[in-house]
């Protein structure tokens, strides 16, 4: 059964569309379970029906026609209960309903399991048998496993409108089901997608149509010729290898001569597909054929075909190189969009970014924030290969992507874009005004930065300094550790750009999701692993070099603050301080008389540091609350996992209590406290932070004027009262609503964005 399951899943994973996948499933499951019927029904939610979409055993003509209400019959029972039903004699069940249109016989044995995706039942898979029988445990497991595998594929297909005949009378785009990801950069964008993908990766090639098949034919034939030459040369060069290995190249050449590979691809090009996707479909078809063979030797050949396919693809790609063309309003889409991909698009044309991997702390997301480009990251369900040249709405607030949305959604988001533009124009007047509450409390606003290219925007934002400079980015963009001198130059530029205002440089915070290619850390659980200060303390060589570079950069400036990430104990603070003092003393001894001792702060972003806050504040000059990590560690919600993104809540009552405790302890000890996580840039959260008595807030440039508006509109006393009110509430949703109501009442409703309502 296990082997059968593996095969079915493999076949289904490479099916060319959902229809194909469903038909494969029903016929394979029927064979494996040796039953009389296997069928798949899918939910047509807008019409409140469940529809027969594929069957092996019932009348094929009933497909798409048999529609039941969502609670009707045994199929409805499984759908509404969202749990399997296994009956020896279905007909004796009170909810049994005979479906004459399906050509149903007197089936007794009945097993049906729901297909569930993110808590929603998308449909069911059922098997039926004439004989009275209860299906066995492993047969149930087979169906449950296949249903789980199928769920994602159905969600994909729904998102791109690839399920023919399911939603009766409703056009696909009227469904408006967003694909969920994580917010990478706040804001909303509407544009046309361009899929970026790594070279020579067959699976990554998007489906793309061409209106110039003749050109594509030429490109393809040229690539075949080049591949033949490459293989012939290789074959001649490897005569020293055993004959068996040499034979591989001869086999490749034979495959290249074979009619099927070449002519099938040409056929697809003539149907209107560009050479790369025509080749991809042909090669994947061959791979599937070989992968499903019983014979081990033949099954292994699938790898050879893949390799050959990649070689041809590489030649197609190098033959069709040229200046890339971008839409006027380009939204970059990819499995892993890189910073280089982003930089490649002319700034005037780039409006949005979507990546199926990564998170808000990915390099490319930071860059998007610096450029003010809305981004959604970690959208794992994104059907990337089918997303080329599609109209997309990117909701960077909520982390949602709408594919080919309805006029209603387009209208709603166009309105938001317009409102945002108007709001930005209005807020611009605040740039030169102080960040002071109506009752006279000054809350300086700082920016978070990580790239030198951020600097002009940061300097131009009205910020009073840099509250968090993530030093890991210069490390991530190199292929080796940057030298002391290289680091020093970067830090000096940053310190000078805000001088005499303070600039907080955070020591290296790698590990977690921020890895250096040249310092790989492979761990089962990286966020609980070797990261931040733990690495620095274990590698005094790296730590001392960085501290020295920071202090040398501050020579004669006196605006350097050093911030220590991921502090989990008092011991780590003591040890770090020892290094900092030592480096400073040595520099003074070396004659650098104008290097002041920097202020040193601890990031409070781990619950253990919250519980030891009274001790920590006595050791440092300031603390900075890293709410991005604090929230993930308090709530046990991975900040980079879109499956649990809904549970990640800055306003969870436990988070509020933790942040309040930190601020109170710092204030009591006269230590300045800032907030530098995303919470600081969220208007509702900023209101609470004001009420708690935070001394300063640090955020991405795009949020700065919005938060200044909040500060200038709410007195400290009012914010304090709001804090007391929300402390009586039991969940984050109620807290957000209460704060949003307060924003609206004060005339700041324009700051409340979708998903934050
Ligand atoms: C945080 O954790 O809140 C923070 C500001 O740091 P980072 O997002 O870089 O982990
Ligand atoms: Mg952090």
């Amino acid at each position: 059964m296990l082997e059968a399951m593996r095969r079915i899943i493999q076949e289904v994973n490479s099916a060319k569309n959902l229809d194909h996948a469903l038909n494969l499933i029903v016929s394979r499951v029927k064979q494996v379970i040796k039953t009389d019927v296997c069928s798949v029904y899918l939910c047509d939610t807008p019409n409140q029906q469940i529809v027969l979409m594929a069957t092996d055993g019932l009348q094929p003509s009933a497909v798409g026609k048999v529609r039941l209400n969502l609670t009707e019959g045994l199929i409805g029972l499984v759908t509404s209960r969202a749990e399997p039903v296994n009956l020896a004699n279905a007909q004796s069940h009170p909810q049994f309903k005979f479906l004459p249109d399906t050509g149903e016989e007197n089936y007794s044995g009945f097993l049906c399991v729901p297909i569930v995706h993110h808590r929603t039942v998308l449909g069911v898979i059922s098997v039926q048998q004439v004989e009275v029988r209860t299906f066995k445990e492993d047969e149930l497991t087979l169906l449950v496993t296949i249903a789980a595998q199928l769920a994602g594929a159905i969600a994909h297909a729904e998102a791109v409108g690839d399920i023919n005949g399911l939603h009766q009378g409703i056009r696909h785009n009227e469904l408006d089901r967003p694909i969920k990801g994580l917010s990478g950069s706040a804001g909303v964008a509407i544009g046309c997608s361009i899929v970026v993908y790594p070279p020579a990766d067959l699976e990554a090639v998007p489906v793309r149509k061409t209106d110039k098949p003749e050109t594509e034919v030429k490109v393809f034939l040229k690539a075949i010729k080049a591949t033949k030459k490459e293989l012939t040369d290789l074959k001649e060069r490897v005569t020293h290898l055993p004959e068996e290995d040499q034979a591989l190249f001869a086999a490749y050449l034979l495959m290249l001569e074979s009619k099927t590979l070449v002519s099938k691809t040409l056929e697809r090009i003539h149907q209107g597909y560009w050479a790369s996707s025509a080749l991809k479909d042909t090669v994947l078809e061959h791979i599937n054929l070989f992968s499903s063979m019983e014979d081990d030797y033949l099954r292994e050949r699938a790898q050879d075909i893949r390799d050959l396919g990649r070689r041809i693809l590489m030649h197609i790609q190098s033959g069709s190189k040229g200046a890339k063309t971008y839409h006027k309003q380009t939204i970059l889409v990819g499995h892993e969009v890189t910073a280089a991909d982003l930089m490649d698009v002319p700034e005037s044309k780039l409006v949005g970014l979507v990546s199926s991997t990564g998170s808000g702390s990915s390099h490319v997301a930071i860059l998007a924030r610096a450029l003010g480009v809305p981004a959604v990251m970690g959208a794992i369900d994104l059907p990337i290969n089918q997303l080329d040249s599609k109209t997309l709405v990117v909701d960077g607030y909520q982390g949602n992507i709408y594919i080919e949305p309805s006029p209603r959604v387009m209208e709603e988001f166009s309105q938001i874009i317009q409102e945002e533009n108007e709001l930005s124009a209005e807020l611009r007047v605040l740039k030169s005004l102080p960040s002071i509450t109506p009752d006279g409390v000054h809350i300086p606003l700082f920016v978070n930065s990580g790239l030198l290219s951020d600097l002009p925007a940061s300097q131009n934002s009205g910020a009073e300094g840099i509250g968090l400079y993530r030093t890991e980015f210069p490390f991530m963009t190199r292929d080796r550790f940057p030298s002391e001198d290289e680091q020093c130059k970067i830090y000096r530029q940053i310190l000078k750009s805000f001088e005499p205002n303070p600039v907080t440089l955070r020591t290296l915070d790698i590990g977690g999701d921020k890895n250096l290619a040249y310092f790989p850390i492979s761990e089962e659980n990286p966020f609980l692993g070797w990261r931040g200060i733990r690495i620095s303390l274990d590698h005094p060589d790296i730590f001392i070099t960085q501290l020295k570079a920071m202090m040398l950069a501050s020579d004669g400036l006196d605006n350097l603050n050093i911030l220590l990430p991921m502090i989990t104990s008092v011991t780590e603070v003591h040890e770090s301080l020892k290094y900092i003092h030592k480096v400073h003393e040595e520099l003074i001894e070396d004659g650098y008389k104008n290097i002041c001792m920097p202020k040193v702060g601890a990031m409070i972003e781990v619950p253990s540091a919250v519980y030891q806050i009274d001790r920590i504040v006595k050791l440092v000059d300031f603390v900075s609350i890293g709410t991005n990590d604090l929230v993930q560690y308090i709530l046990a919600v991975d900040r980079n996992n879109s499956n649990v993104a809904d549970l990640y809540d800055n306003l969870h009552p436990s988070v509020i209590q933790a942040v309040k405790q930190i601020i109170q302890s710092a204030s009591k000890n006269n230590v300045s406290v800032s907030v530098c996580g995303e919470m600081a840039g969220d208007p509702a959260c900023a209101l609470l932070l004001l009420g708690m008595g935070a001394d300063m807030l640090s955020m991405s440039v795009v949020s700065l004027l919005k938060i200044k508006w909040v500060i200038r509109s709410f007195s400290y006393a009012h914010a304090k009262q709001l804090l007391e009110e929300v402390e009586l509430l039991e969940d984050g949703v109620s807290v957000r609503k209460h704060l949003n109501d307060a924003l609206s009442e004060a005339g700041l409703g324009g700051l409340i964005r979708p998903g934050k309502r």
Side-chain angles (χ1 to χ4, degrees):
M1 196 59 90
L2 248 176
E3 179 53 24
M5 191 142 72
R6 188 193 65 78
R7 283 256 182 85
I8 297 177
I9 289 168
Q10 191 179 22
E11 270 189 274
V12 169
N13 281 346
S14 44
K16 54 181 185 287
N17 54 33
L18 187 71
D19 240 14
H20 183 204
L22 297 185
N23 284 309
L24 270 171
I25 285 174
V26 290
S27 76
R28 298 292 185 269
V29 170
K30 184 178 157 221
Q31 271 167 17
V32 173
I33 298 192
K34 298 190 182 61
T35 184
D36 299 316
V37 179
C38 177
S39 313
V40 175
Y41 295 76
L42 296 185
C43 294
D44 172 5
T45 316
N47 288 310
Q48 290 292 295
Q49 288 175 327
I50 183 152
V51 189
L52 176 66
M53 295 302 289
T55 183
D56 188 344
L58 300 179
Q59 276 296 340
S61 60
V63 169
K65 301 218 174 61
V66 168
R67 291 178 163 263
L68 303 166
N69 291 332
L70 286 178
T71 53
E72 200 177 347
L74 290 172
I75 297 295
L77 184 71
V78 175
T79 312
S80 54
R81 284 195 184 167
E83 63 183 20
V85 168
N86 188 357
L87 299 171
N89 189 356
Q91 297 180 40
S92 61
H93 192 282
Q95 207 164 321
F96 175 77
K97 182 175 159 112
F98 186 67
L99 301 171
D101 290 349
T102 60
E104 214 175 10
E105 293 177 36
N106 287 331
Y107 295 117
S108 302
F110 175 87
L111 171 65
C112 182
V113 302
I115 304 167
V116 184
H117 189 66
H118 292 312
R119 300 186 184 197
T120 307
V121 178
L122 301 180
V124 302
I125 307 179
S126 72
V127 288
Q128 294 168 276
Q129 191 136 354
V130 173
E131 182 191 321
V132 175
R133 73 171 272 210
T134 310
F135 287 89
K136 292 190 298 252
E137 194 70 16
D138 61 349
E139 292 167 329
L140 172 65
T141 313
L142 175 79
L143 281 203
V144 170
T145 311
I146 288 174
Q149 288 281 324
L150 194 56
I154 295 171
H156 280 191
E158 282 231 53
V160 288
D162 202 17
I163 309 186
N164 295 328
L166 175 61
H167 302 292
Q168 210 172 40
I170 295 175
R171 292 202 0 251
H172 150 67
N173 71 357
E174 287 167 293
L175 293 168
D176 290 328
R177 295 228 173 102
I179 301 267
K180 293 200 79 57
L182 303 162
S183 168
S185 169
V188 165
I190 299 179
C192 193
S193 54
I194 287 195
V195 174
V196 288
Y197 52 93
D201 181 349
L202 276 168
E203 265 85 2
V205 171
V207 178
R208 199 174 280 174
K209 290 272 191 173
T210 177
D211 47 11
K212 294 194 190 94
E214 323 75 49
T215 317
E216 293 300 308
V217 166
K218 274 191 206 141
V219 168
F220 174 62
L221 292 178
K222 204 168 140 208
I224 291 286
K225 203 166 146 198
T227 315
K228 264 187 205 164
K229 176 160 182 339
E230 175 191 317
L231 290 169
T232 316
D233 290 353
L234 257 174
K235 195 169 145 232
E236 279 161 15
R237 279 213 316 268
V238 296
T239 42
H240 58 288
L241 291 182
E243 240 169 68
E244 216 177 276
D245 296 339
Q246 287 185 44
L248 182 67
F249 298 103
Y252 276 19
L253 280 166
L254 266 179
M255 279 191 248
L256 271 183
E257 305 284 347
S258 86
K259 276 261 172 310
T260 39
L261 196 73
V262 177
S263 59
K264 273 271 173 129
T265 305
L266 287 173
E267 215 174 276
R268 288 189 162 100
I269 295 177
H270 287 301
Q271 284 164 7
Y273 292 93
W274 66 320
S276 299
S277 61
L279 172 76
K280 166 191 172 171
D281 284 351
T282 309
V283 172
L284 291 187
E285 194 175 80
H286 277 65
I287 291 173
N288 286 340
L289 189 74
F290 279 88
S291 306
S292 60
M293 287 181 178
E294 299 285 342
D295 184 295
D296 283 349
Y297 175 80
L298 288 175
R299 234 182 21 231
E300 282 303 309
R301 299 287 64 76
Q303 274 317 321
D304 299 338
I305 294 165
R306 183 182 298 279
D307 181 35
L308 182 62
R310 264 196 218 125
R311 284 169 191 273
I312 304 172
L313 181 64
M314 226 152 64
H315 286 292
I316 292 180
Q317 289 170 335
S318 62
S320 56
K321 253 194 206 140
K324 276 194 208 137
T325 49
Y326 292 102
H327 308 292
K328 263 200 210 129
Q329 311 254 288
T330 295
I331 294 180
L332 274 192
V333 177
H335 175 66
E336 192 178 347
V337 182
T338 62
D341 292 328
L342 197 75
M343 306 285 225
D344 209 32
V345 191
E347 215 177 316
S348 60
K349 292 191 169 176
L350 181 68
V351 298
L353 162 75
V354 176
S355 175
S356 66
T357 53
S359 71
S361 47
S362 302
H363 190 185
V364 72
I366 306 249
L367 192 57
R369 285 205 287 275
L371 298 172
V373 172
V376 174
M377 307 294 293
I380 39 179
D381 285 336
L382 207 64
I384 294 175
N385 291 344
Q386 295 161 57
L387 275 194
D388 209 47
S389 288
K390 296 265 197 273
T391 301
L392 300 187
V393 167
V394 176
D395 174 357
Y397 289 108
Q398 239 186 313
N400 281 341
I401 305 133
Y402 295 83
I403 303 165
E404 300 282 351
S406 70
R408 190 183 58 76
V409 167
M410 290 289 273
E411 174 66 25
E412 186 187 325
F413 282 93
S414 307
Q415 177 88 21
I416 293 174
I417 293 174
Q418 196 187 328
E419 283 169 14
E420 296 239 297
N421 290 341
E422 286 167 9
L423 184 66
S424 310
E426 284 168 28
L427 292 181
R428 239 169 266 151
V429 296
L430 297 181
K431 213 163 86 179
S432 52
L433 298 179
S435 177
I436 295 184
T437 63
D439 50 355
V441 180
H442 178 207
I443 309 284
L445 301 184
F446 286 70
V447 281
N448 293 349
S449 170
L451 303 159
L452 285 179
S453 51
D454 291 3
L455 282 184
S458 301
Q459 282 171 294
N460 219 351
S461 65
E464 297 185 41
I466 293 186
L468 169 68
Y469 183 85
R470 294 173 161 104
T471 58
E472 47 280 6
F473 288 101
F475 284 72
M476 286 161 86
T477 48
R478 286 177 167 67
D479 52 11
R480 55 174 170 78
F481 281 105
S483 67
E484 181 189 297
D485 197 39
E486 281 172 305
Q487 290 186 53
C488 182
K489 282 200 180 105
I490 297 169
Y491 303 151
R492 180 129 189 117
Q493 210 175 325
I494 303 156
L495 290 168
K496 281 206 78 135
S497 68
F498 271 89
E499 193 236 338
N501 286 347
V503 167
T504 302
L505 301 182
R506 179 173 72 182
T507 62
L508 198 57
D509 186 20
I510 51 169
D513 62 337
K514 283 176 279 192
N515 266 321
L516 304 178
Y518 50 90
F519 189 71
I521 304 168
S522 170
E523 293 176 326
E524 286 278 314
N525 217 340
F527 274 115
L528 300 185
W530 205 38
R531 66 169 296 208
I533 201 69
R534 299 171 180 181
I535 297 182
S536 294
L537 292 174
D538 286 350
H539 268 283
D541 47 335
I542 300 171
F543 194 37
I544 289 173
T545 305
Q546 184 173 38
L547 293 172
K548 211 166 152 198
M550 286 178 174
M551 289 190 221
L552 280 170
S554 76
D555 193 3
L557 294 181
D558 194 18
N559 65 338
L560 166 66
N561 294 343
I562 293 181
L563 183 60
L564 308 166
M566 264 298 277
I567 291 294
T568 56
S569 69
V570 172
T571 317
E572 285 168 346
V573 182
H574 281 305
E575 289 181 358
S576 306
L577 282 168
K578 222 160 47 193
Y579 283 114
I580 295 171
H581 285 293
K582 185 170 169 270
V583 169
H584 185 248
E585 278 157 24
E586 284 173 5
L587 285 172
I588 299 292
E589 274 169 34
D590 289 351
Y592 293 96
K593 302 289 179 236
N594 293 326
I595 296 181
C596 306
M597 175 63 197
K599 290 204 175 84
V600 181
M603 274 196 92
I604 307 299
E605 48 184 349
V606 178
S608 63
V610 180
Y611 291 115
Q612 284 210 297
I613 191 67
D614 286 339
R615 286 177 187 276
I616 293 174
V617 290
K618 292 198 170 69
L619 304 175
V620 291
D621 302 304
F622 67 99
V623 290
S624 189
I625 310 178
T627 56
N628 303 343
D629 277 312
L630 187 61
V631 173
Q632 83 161 341
Y633 291 128
I634 288 185
L635 302 182
V637 175
D638 180 345
R639 64 193 257 190
N640 290 342
N641 182 343
S642 56
N643 282 330
V644 287
D646 287 346
L647 299 175
Y648 187 97
D649 186 358
N650 282 328
L651 290 173
H652 188 293
S654 309
V655 173
I656 294 176
Q657 286 315 307
V659 174
K660 187 177 144 190
Q661 191 181 332
I662 303 164
I663 294 177
Q664 278 181 347
S665 171
S667 308
K668 208 169 63 199
N669 289 280
N670 287 323
V671 164
S672 112
V673 53
S674 74
V675 179
C676 64
E678 291 300 314
M679 216 173 156
D682 177 327
C685 299
L687 245 183
L688 279 193
L689 298 172
L690 170 64
M692 289 177 191
D695 294 313
M696 53 188 116
L697 303 177
S698 190
M699 63 207 71
S700 49
V701 177
V702 277
S703 307
L704 201 118
L705 294 182
K706 294 178 185 171
I707 301 304
K708 198 185 269 188
W709 193 23
V710 174
I711 306 281
R712 292 179 59 85
S713 309
F714 282 83
S715 66
Y716 170 58
H718 187 183
K720 223 167 130 185
Q721 179 204 326
L722 284 168
L723 170 65
E724 279 167 25
E725 287 163 11
V726 300
E727 283 188 290
L728 301 173
L729 303 173
E730 67 176 16
D731 59 62
V733 175
S734 325
V735 174
R736 180 151 313 263
K737 181 172 179 318
H738 195 77
L739 296 171
N740 281 349
D741 288 348
L743 286 169
S744 297
E745 273 168 35
L748 277 69
L751 293 180
I752 308 166
R753 285 295 156 221
K756 308 266 184 207
R757 287 186 203 279

